[in-house]
């Protein structure tokens, strides 16, 4: 993608108001919509305060979609199957895992604990008739001379927010139809076709079900 495409994208992308007074009406709509559609999670500190043990708060989301080039979006989607295969093969390369992760020591407690679990099950000769991978790849758009999607993280333990991420696009479509982002959108435009579907909940659910059946359990 040539540099001119970067300049064109930056010139045409939606720009949003930073005026808190103009944003407040959208915040109120967002809170109501999230409450009605289950876009919630437990309140921070709910483990310690009795009254908060069942308290829920709206999930932190953007009021409007974050613009990225369609070509970059299509590219990273098309790359995902290849990345899935790559990380699956890495997970089976014992020598590589040891040479890479053993040097962490105790600097990353979580990764160290997972690595020790891996070594223990390998020593015990645990058999794995099949393996299921649930992956999420995170990107940022680098707007240098050329627009490029840069991978910043690849998650292999990331299924918990599928039920939330799957409905964020629904929220953005609702806000677009309800308000047309009047006063919030200061430049550019947003159309319904620019907001892609998110099938994370059903795809992850189908994957877990397929893995369960491969272990010999059909019910």
């Amino acid at each position: 993608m040539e540099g001119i495409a970067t300049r064109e994208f930056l010139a045409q992308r939606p720009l949003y108001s930073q005026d808190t007074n103009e944003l407040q009406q959208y915040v109120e709509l967002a809170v109501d919509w999230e409450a009605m559609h289950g876009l919630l999670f437990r309140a921070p500190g709910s483990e310690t305060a009795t009254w908060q043990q069942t308290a829920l708060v709206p999930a932190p989301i953007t009021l409007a979609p974050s613009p990225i080039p369609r070509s970059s979006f299509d590219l990273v989607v098309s790359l995902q199957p290849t990345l899935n295969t790559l990380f699956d093969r890495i997970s089976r390369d014992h020598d590589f895992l040891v040479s890479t992760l053993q040097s962490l020591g105790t600097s990353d407690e979580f990764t160290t604990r997972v690595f020790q679990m891996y070594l223990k099950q390998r020593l015990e000769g645990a058999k794995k008739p099949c393996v299921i991978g649930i992956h999420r790849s995170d990107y940022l758009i680098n707007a240098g001379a050329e627009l490029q999607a840069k991978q910043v993280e690849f998650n292999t333990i990331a299924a918990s927010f599928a039920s939330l991420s799957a409905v964020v696009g629904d929220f953005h479509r609702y806000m677009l139809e309800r308000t047309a982002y009047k006063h919030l959108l200061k430049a550019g435009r947003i159309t319904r076709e620019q907001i892609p579907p998110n099938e994370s909940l059903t795809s992850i659910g189908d994957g877990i079900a397929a893995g369960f059946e491969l272990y010999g359990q059909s019910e």
Side-chain angles (χ1 to χ4, degrees), residues 165-206:
S165 61
V167 295
V168 172
D170 294 337
F171 165 72
H172 288 152
R173 280 183 281 271
Y174 162 79
M175 292 290 281
L176 176 62
E177 294 171 0
R178 173 72 182 270
T179 70
Y181 288 118
K182 185 178 181 182
H183 303 305
L184 177 63
L185 189 63
K186 293 302 181 182
R189 66 189 184 94
I190 302 171
T191 65
R192 187 178 178 87
E193 292 71 27
Q194 290 174 307
I195 306 174
N198 187 323
E199 300 177 351
S200 59
L201 179 58
T202 54
S203 62
I204 289 177
D206 289 344

Side-chain angles (χ1 to χ4, degrees), residues 79-91:
L79 284 175
Q80 191 61 41
T82 302
L83 290 174
N84 292 341
T85 300
L86 171 64
F87 278 83
D88 176 69
R89 291 180 178 175
I90 289 174
S91 72

Side-chain angles (χ1 to χ4, degrees), residues 18-33:
Q18 303 298 311
D19 188 330
T20 55
N21 292 324
E22 293 180 336
L23 293 176
Q24 187 56 41
Q25 60 177 313
Y26 295 96
V27 172
E28 294 173 0
L29 279 175
V31 170
D32 290 343
W33 193 95

